[in-house]
Amino acid sequence: MHLFRLRLVAALLLGITVISVASTYFDVLAHKHTLRSDLARRTQWYGMGLQPQIEEQFMIGPNDGWPAILRQFRKSPDQPGLAIFDKDGALLASAGDVLPLKRLQPEFLKRALTGGKEAIVFLKIPEDSGQDAVGAGSARDGVTNDGAPSRLWYEDAIPLHNGDQIAGALLMMVDADYIRTEGIEVWRRSFLRIAAMVVLVVVVTLVMVRWFLQRPVTRAAEWLRRLRHGEAGVEEGATDFGYLLPLAKEMTSLAENLTRARVAAATEARLRDTAERVWTADRLAVHARERLSGGKLFVVSNREPYIHVRHGKETECIVPPSGLVTAIEPILQACDGIWVAHGSGSEDAAFVDEHDRLRVPPDEKRYTLRRVWLSAEEESGYYEGFSNEGLWPLCHIAHTRPIFRGGDWSLYQSVNEKFGEAVLEEMRDTEHPVVFVQDYHLALLPKIIKRARPDARVAIFWHIPWPNAEAFGICPWQVELVDGLAAADLIGFHLQSHCNNFLDTVDHVLEARTDWEHFSIRRDGHYSSVRPYPISVAWDEHEAGAESAIEVDIETSPLRRELGIEGKQLLLGVDRMDYTKGIVERLLAIEHLLEHHPWYLEQIVFVQIASPSRTRIPSYAALRVQVEETVERINRRYQTSRWKPVILIQRQCSHDELTHFYRAADLCLVTSLHDGMNLVAKEYLAARKDCDGVLVLSRFAGAAQELTDALVVNPYDIEQVSKAIRTGLEMGRGERRLRMERMRNHVKEHNVYRWASNILTDLCAVRLENEILAVAPGVGLREQMHVKVRLDDELLAVAPETSRRMMA
Ligand code: ADQ
């Protein structure tokens, strides 16, 4: 910047000086010209006034009185010097300044005497009158060629007539040196003006450079430096650039790329560091793109990933709390896929196009959400009725009787058909589509899709347990349900035991060949693989990375203050208000603890967060009443003026709110009576960056299979749960850390991205019938089937592992 300023000043000095000198030079020339013309004009007028009188004297005849005559004409010393010459050029007389007379050039006078015309000349004459006269322009102003000082004279010779004859000449001589002096004065004044102008322009320019160039550039440089070191955010930059906004925009996008590249590099490095064990959203996206090799993924679920609802006068787009969105979105975004789901939001219809589609996520628009509309009757029969009053209790052994109504079943079928139509319409132009169906609401969908599109690879994941065959047999439409599911190429459950139950049910219900060794079903030439995929939660290295206990403590203390539980041990339960979650049993265990170990009175607080769920179903409404009454009873029994043992929060919380609760809780209670997996248990572990806290976990939750370092309990055994709580509260820091670290490592490695990638990998590896039939072209269908069966049997006999993978 210093050198730049020096160069700028030098350039300004040179530029302004050259321009100003050139302009002054022309000013001086013009001024001199004006002065010379003025002098010539004045002298001419004077001479013209004298000419008739002098000519009159010539006519009178020879005259010796010329000196007197001239003195008479030249009355003042300011008037030009005068000289009279006869027709031969001899001087008759002179008056006034006669210095130039001695330097008079004969040709000059001759022009007037012989040519009969007026002659004028500006002469530089050396101060030393002994020198020769010098012609105008032959020397620098004020100095002759030999360096002697000179003066400028103006001479004007007018011919004088006697009748028609030229009788002589009148010479007028004026000291014109003032013209030169004035020229010098103009130069002097210009020099001062130029100097002042140069100083002013340089100062103004330097100030402008400092304010408008140097400052933004310095700020931008500082911002870029901090960005390079990862100390500044991208958004900070743009505001500081002022008028350099276009540059700022380019730099901002450059900075964004830089930040993204840095994050990717850090993730990459971390992945390498952890021997590529940890799955991330980015890794899943890359993996999905590779597996789908340009193909599209179609996801179908009852619940949509984005819901538009009215909030007062505003419409809000909310993401329902669900690990599914976290796991599936990276795949859909990577392949610009389509998610088909029930449009359940009050404002959903206002946000779709004429094909019921919209691009999501709202601010990124990376994939398509296709909304399916259901009438109130359909919703009630298919969702609340058959799915949640029938299948939900049927699959959970929670001793709530399933209710099956013919009307609900009809609606369940027609709604499955409706979803089927929507999916088939969306995949019309896609070859070999890959479809991932979610959950027990859509059990008939695999069959509907495969019937119309045998080239589609279809997987369904059953998020709840699958009971044993006898229990499932309660359902009057078990054949249709199992038939619908078995049409899928891949059927996923959380646990191996659920797979076993399902295969057993197929054995009981369908005419199909079940392969217990390879966990597959062969029916009418179609193969289905049945596999366990234990679902999990997202693991964000950044969010879930290690953090000191002090940091976490600071973060959670406002929550404790808000709840008025400072200094108390916090026990936490987070669930949907559902009878399978064992909320009442948990409350009874707390009561048991307080009853049998009264030293915990005023020492512990149990916070139960229960989000309202399926509220129109009578069993859920009854559960809510039962939970509220139990909480009230326990509080009435033990509360003091300063303390309440149980706080019941009945609302949906944000992800951040839940994280704060998880981090503040000394102990988390997951006491489901039966649960496919239970994500709360894993969320609690993921949130505990401080590696502290205790998890009490029901042995009937799928998560208990993996999280063996939890305090595993039978939720029906109130005394045992109470004892586990006590054990947890009294557990030493070292033991807590050890267990927590082990469980966190498991969740980190088996996160939801890995879950999604495993299912996608297996689904993309599925061999479809037409691909198998291509092995034996040119033979009829029946023969082809035989070929296929024989080939499979041979493969199984030769290399069970290879064939298993090929069939999977
Ligand atoms: P659920 O029975 O709904 O799902 P669960 O695994 O207990 O699921 O997860 C519930 C989710 O809801 C968690 O992510 C939790 O954070 C969230 N949640 C609960 N209460 C909340 C509240 N008040 N506010 C905000 N969020 C709340 C089914 C099966 C499970 C299986 C999952 C996933 O029943 O066994 O684990 O699917 O497959």
Side-chain angles (χ1 to χ4, degrees):
M1 195 41 87
H2 193 61
L3 189 67
F4 168 73
R5 263 182 303 182
L6 274 181
R7 283 185 179 161
L8 188 70
V9 169
L12 282 171
L13 278 174
L14 190 70
I16 297 170
T17 308
V18 167
I19 293 169
S20 302
V21 166
S23 131
T24 307
Y25 173 74
F26 288 110
D27 276 357
V28 170
L29 274 191
H31 190 60
K32 277 184 173 175
H33 178 75
T34 310
L35 289 176
R36 283 179 186 216
S37 307
D38 194 41
L39 176 64
R41 203 169 44 251
R42 272 191 285 116
T43 311
Q44 258 177 335
W45 277 107
Y46 180 62
M48 281 162 69
L50 291 180
Q51 191 181 13
Q53 297 172 55
I54 296 174
E55 281 178 344
E56 212 174 287
Q57 289 300 320
F58 268 106
M59 283 163 69
I60 293 169
N63 193 339
D64 293 336
W66 282 110
I69 293 168
L70 286 186
R71 272 197 301 278
Q72 187 189 329
F73 287 143
R74 190 174 181 273
K75 289 181 184 117
S76 129
D78 294 341
Q79 288 176 331
L82 299 174
I84 303 284
F85 296 87
D86 66 11
K87 66 177 186 324
D88 301 320
L91 179 69
L92 298 179
S94 70
D97 289 320
V98 291
L99 179 72
L101 276 181
K102 294 177 190 169
R103 308 282 169 260
L104 196 63
Q105 291 173 336
E107 310 85 58
F108 170 68
L109 202 56
K110 214 187 268 173
R111 275 211 303 275
L113 291 173
T114 56
K117 284 190 182 143
E118 184 180 6
I120 59 169
V121 71
F122 279 91
L123 281 179
K124 275 195 192 128
I125 296 174
E127 297 272 21
D128 172 10
S129 55
Q131 300 276 323
D132 285 332
V134 185
S138 64
R140 286 172 286 131
D141 276 357
V143 179
T144 55
N145 280 347
D146 55 10
S150 65
R151 282 187 85 76
L152 184 68
W153 285 88
Y154 173 68
E155 294 184 3
D156 185 348
I158 303 171
L160 299 168
H161 297 87
N162 187 357
D164 294 338
Q165 304 292 313
I166 293 176
L170 169 64
L171 179 69
M172 291 169 285
M173 296 151 291
V174 184
D175 184 349
D177 210 49
Y178 72 95
I179 294 178
R180 208 180 59 186
T181 315
E182 283 212 17
I184 292 168
E185 181 58 21
V186 172
W187 272 115
R188 199 183 59 79
R189 280 201 306 270
S190 290
F191 174 76
L192 291 176
R193 200 186 63 212
I194 292 168
M197 204 158 70
V198 166
V199 170
L200 201 68
V201 170
V202 167
V203 168
V204 169
T205 307
L206 287 180
V207 169
M208 281 170 64
V209 164
R210 189 173 179 77
W211 279 92
F212 299 113
L213 199 67
Q214 192 175 346
R215 279 199 172 189
V217 169
T218 309
R219 267 193 240 128
E222 170 61 10
W223 171 64
L224 281 173
R225 190 195 62 74
R226 298 198 317 119
L227 195 75
R228 190 158 45 83
H229 291 108
E231 295 162 6
V234 167
E235 59 295 332
E236 270 177 47
T239 51
D240 274 1
F241 281 78
Y243 72 99
L244 296 173
L245 203 62
L247 184 67
K249 281 184 186 154
E250 281 306 311
M251 283 167 82
T252 304
S253 87
L254 201 71
E256 271 167 357
N257 289 347
L258 188 71
T259 309
R260 242 179 266 135
R262 181 181 290 126
V263 170
T267 310
E268 181 78 26
R270 254 199 321 273
L271 286 179
R272 244 180 278 125
D273 189 45
T274 52
E276 302 225 335
R277 284 176 311 177
V278 181
W279 278 85
T280 62
D282 288 341
R283 186 176 165 191
L284 175 61
V286 171
H287 180 79
R289 223 172 277 135
E290 204 176 281
R291 291 288 150 167
L292 291 165
S293 15
K296 258 190 184 180
L297 178 70
F298 296 81
V299 174
V300 199
S301 69
N302 173 67
R303 179 103 65 95
E304 54 182 341
Y306 295 93
I307 310 180
H308 286 96
V309 287
R310 185 155 285 276
H311 223 252
K313 284 185 179 167
E314 305 280 305
T315 298
E316 233 181 13
C317 182
I318 55 170
V319 181
S322 154
L324 199 63
V325 182
T326 315
I328 300 294
E329 264 200 343
I331 308 180
L332 286 174
Q333 291 187 357
C335 68
D336 195 358
I338 298 177
W339 190 322
V340 180
H342 170 210
S344 58
S346 56
E347 304 301 308
D348 273 357
F351 287 85
V352 293
D353 62 14
E354 67 274 23
H355 302 291
D356 299 324
R357 296 180 192 135
L358 72 153
R359 298 286 290 166
V360 287
D363 42 1
E364 284 181 76
K365 309 202 186 314
R366 304 269 299 275
Y367 68 94
T368 301
L369 169 60
R370 162 75 190 269
R371 284 175 169 156
V372 175
W373 311 115
L374 300 181
S375 67
E377 190 199 8
E378 283 174 326
E379 223 180 312
S380 155
Y382 138 84
Y383 181 72
E384 280 155 11
F386 194 78
S387 298
N388 288 325
E389 285 187 279
L391 288 179
W392 178 266
L394 176 77
C395 293
H396 288 93
I397 306 163
H399 311 287
T400 297
R401 191 184 166 142
I403 300 169
F404 291 110
R405 304 180 193 95
D408 290 348
W409 167 242
S410 300
L411 287 166
Y412 183 85
Q413 287 173 293
S414 61
V415 169
N416 269 251
E417 289 286 349
K418 203 176 218 182
F419 271 95
E421 278 165 29
V423 183
L424 290 169
E425 192 182 309
E426 293 302 329
M427 61 172 65
R428 191 179 293 145
D429 301 325
T430 308
E431 274 183 37
H432 306 299
V434 179
V435 190
F436 189 14
V437 182
Q438 304 299 321
D439 231 352
Y440 60 101
H441 315 93
L442 300 168
L444 309 179
L445 201 55
K447 184 172 178 181
I448 295 167
I449 295 171
K450 287 295 268 192
R451 199 175 51 203
R453 291 292 301 267
D455 65 321
R457 287 180 163 77
V458 180
I460 182 163
F461 189 79
W462 195 261
H463 288 258
I464 59 176
W466 189 277
N468 63 45
E470 287 73 27
F472 198 80
I474 294 171
C475 176
W477 299 283
Q478 62 160 337
V479 179
E480 289 84 344
L481 288 169
V482 176
D483 182 45
L485 282 169
D489 302 295
L490 182 65
I491 305 160
F493 294 95
H494 290 300
L495 306 180
Q496 184 62 52
S497 61
H498 300 160
C499 298
N500 297 354
N501 286 347
F502 179 72
L503 224 54
D504 197 25
T505 311
V506 171
D507 264 342
H508 275 72
V509 170
L510 293 184
E511 279 193 23
R513 193 167 150 183
T514 50
D515 180 344
W516 282 84
E517 193 182 345
H518 303 103
F519 277 85
S520 65
I521 305 161
R522 186 198 293 170
R523 193 171 56 126
D524 302 332
H526 175 257
Y527 282 75
S528 307
S529 289
V530 183
R531 297 266 181 279
Y533 301 97
I535 202 166
S536 190
V537 293
W539 187 274
D540 183 339
E541 274 289 283
H542 200 60
E543 201 176 281
E547 196 179 86
S548 77
I550 297 163
E551 275 175 274
V552 176
D553 212 39
I554 290 165
E555 206 178 308
T556 56
S557 49
L559 177 81
R560 287 171 172 275
R561 238 195 331 277
E562 215 173 280
L563 294 171
I565 57 171
E566 287 143 306
K568 313 268 185 278
Q569 282 193 291
L570 172 59
L571 285 65
L572 179 70
V574 178
D575 311 81
R576 282 186 301 103
M577 185 69 93
D578 194 296
Y579 50 80
T580 61
K581 303 294 179 185
I583 299 172
V584 175
E585 289 74 6
R586 199 178 301 165
L587 287 166
L588 296 179
I590 298 285
E591 187 178 26
H592 185 278
L593 180 78
L594 296 174
E595 187 181 338
H596 293 89
H597 307 286
W599 54 88
Y600 283 117
L601 292 172
E602 297 203 347
Q603 298 307 311
I604 60 164
V605 173
F606 173 51
V607 175
Q608 173 64 53
I609 304 175
S611 58
S613 179
R614 306 169 191 172
T615 48
R616 285 187 293 200
I617 298 175
S619 51
Y620 283 80
L623 173 74
R624 182 183 172 176
V625 173
Q626 195 187 358
V627 168
E628 285 172 353
E629 283 177 357
T630 312
V631 170
E632 261 177 51
R633 187 175 56 70
I634 298 172
N635 279 342
R636 254 201 321 274
R637 188 171 167 192
Y638 293 107
Q639 74 185 23
T640 63
S641 56
R642 295 172 309 205
W643 170 77
K644 242 190 204 181
V646 183
I647 297 173
L648 177 63
I649 301 171
Q650 290 194 68
R651 65 177 172 85
Q652 184 97 15
C653 298
S654 69
H655 171 78
D656 287 350
E657 271 181 295
L658 280 188
T659 304
H660 279 101
F661 274 105
Y662 288 141
R663 288 182 180 169
D666 297 289
L667 188 142
C668 181
L669 282 158
V670 176
T671 56
S672 313
L673 303 180
H674 200 189
D675 220 330
M677 174 54 64
N678 194 292
L679 294 177
V680 171
K682 293 185 176 181
E683 284 167 5
Y684 177 61
L685 302 173
R688 296 313 300 242
K689 297 198 233 179
D690 59 345
C691 278
D692 205 350
V694 174
L695 175 65
V696 173
L697 180 59
S698 163
R699 56 187 277 211
F700 304 124
Q705 305 276 316
E706 299 170 76
L707 307 176
T708 47
D709 281 295
L711 297 176
V712 178
V713 294
N714 172 1
Y716 292 94
D717 186 342
I718 304 299
E719 208 177 317
Q720 191 192 49
V721 177
S722 162
K723 195 172 163 203
I725 295 173
R726 194 153 61 88
T727 308
L729 292 175
E730 284 163 20
M731 193 183 281
R733 173 76 177 100
E735 179 69 12
R736 290 202 304 268
R737 170 175 275 276
L738 186 72
R739 286 170 181 258
M740 184 56 78
E741 262 174 3
R742 284 163 57 94
M743 290 191 285
R744 273 171 62 81
N745 279 338
H746 180 88
V747 175
K748 179 178 168 181
E749 279 177 39
H750 299 83
N751 62 31
V752 77
Y753 303 119
R754 179 172 175 167
W755 171 84
S757 108
N758 284 345
I759 295 180
L760 190 72
T761 305
D762 289 352
L763 181 58
C764 290
V766 154
R767 275 178 77 189
L768 300 175
E769 284 104 279
N770 58 348
E771 290 167 349
I772 298 168
L773 294 183
V775 172
V779 280
L781 189 65
R782 184 179 286 272
E783 288 77 15
Q784 285 185 3
M785 280 303 164
H786 283 183
V787 170
K788 172 176 170 299
V789 170
R790 205 193 61 234
L791 277 171
D792 290 344
D793 288 343
E794 279 170 14
L795 282 169
L796 286 171
V798 174
E801 185 51 28
T802 318
S803 63
R804 187 191 73 75
R805 291 190 45 207
M806 284 177 78
M807 284 197 302

